[in-house]
Amino acid sequence: MKFAPQSFVRRALPLLVVLLASLAACETSKRGIPEVNAADGTDLERRQLEVSSKLVGRVIEGQIEYVVPRAQLATGFIRQFNDGTVVDKTTIRKVQGSPKDKAIYYLVGMGLRNGMYRAMAIPLETSTDNSLYLRSNAERYIVTSVGCTFCYFSFEKSRITGTECEENTGGSRCDLEVESNNNFFPR
């Protein structure tokens, strides 16, 4: 039997083309199939936060960068109060009782209802990349003043535990109410 290299190439070439085409069709890329491994836990955490909550800000070199415009945050607080309270100031505040305590960021809205001071604070979730997320199941701390021009939240280990009136005149007080969830960003 005599070996003819040209006829072998002619017969093998179509098989080689089909084989290469089928390998190319099986190629997967990281864009199409997300891969999760132990080192990639921060990405997984961020994606889980994005699904169950809304990004409102970021901490960049100790400074707060708002992702949601403050006017939109004020509208969310007005909707949450749902009693005629007009919110004219919104902020994100870092609270850390001591250097050993974990810092907690709160989304805070302040305003007036019938001339009386009102405020609401909602704790934010912090991701490993310092993004700040508002969860729909986050509790709301609501302050209503009775005779106080300004009320402060009081904290223990970075958690809201009560309120204080700016001035201690007879009969002035700040009432705190805690609600178990929010609908700050309607779906």
Side-chain angles (χ1 to χ4, degrees):
M1 178 170 179
K2 196 172 181 186
F3 182 73
Q6 290 176 347
S7 68
F8 174 75
V9 171
R10 271 186 273 157
R11 278 186 264 146
L13 189 58
L15 289 173
L16 186 59
V17 169
V18 169
L19 179 64
L20 288 175
S22 65
L23 285 175
C26 291
E27 188 271 332
T28 61
S29 69
K30 287 185 180 181
R31 287 179 290 143
I33 301 172
E35 296 176 15
V36 178
N37 58 33
D40 206 20
T42 57
D43 253 3
L44 179 61
E45 174 195 1
R46 190 183 80 248
R47 278 188 246 133
Q48 287 172 339
L49 276 171
E50 288 172 355
V51 167
S52 64
S53 54
K54 172 94 170 153
L55 176 66
V56 294
R58 291 184 185 90
V59 181
I60 301 172
E61 296 179 8
Q63 300 295 316
I64 304 293
E65 174 188 281
Y66 291 83
V67 173
V68 176
R70 288 186 181 201
Q72 186 178 347
L73 294 174
T75 301
F77 277 113
I78 290 168
R79 184 176 35 258
Q80 286 300 283
F81 278 115
N82 196 28
D83 62 2
T85 298
V86 177
V87 174
D88 61 351
K89 181 167 175 65
T90 61
T91 189
I92 295 175
R93 290 282 182 213
K94 176 183 177 182
V95 176
Q96 189 171 14
S98 74
K100 290 187 266 179
D101 295 332
K102 178 185 176 196
I104 297 179
Y105 290 86
Y106 289 90
L107 179 61
V108 180
M110 295 171 272
L112 297 172
R113 181 185 77 196
N114 298 330
M116 303 298 279
Y117 176 81
R118 298 287 308 261
M120 184 184 300
I122 305 172
L124 301 173
E125 291 287 326
T126 307
S127 68
T128 53
D129 68 350
N130 290 326
S131 293
L132 302 171
Y133 291 89
L134 176 67
R135 287 186 183 259
S136 61
N137 64 352
E139 62 274 7
R140 294 179 286 147
Y141 296 88
I142 305 163
V143 174
T144 304
S145 77
V146 178
C148 292
T149 55
F150 192 82
C151 298
Y152 297 97
F153 289 103
S154 52
F155 299 88
E156 187 174 308
K157 295 193 177 198
S158 307
R159 300 258 178 224
I160 295 174
T161 57
T163 61
E164 295 176 24
C165 186
E166 182 176 47
E167 68 277 339
N168 272 339
T169 58
S172 297
R173 69 180 194 276
C174 297
D175 296 333
L176 177 65
E177 180 183 347
V178 181
E179 295 289 330
S180 60
N181 57 22
N182 67 81
N183 59 353
F184 199 90
F185 295 108
R187 294 179 189 228

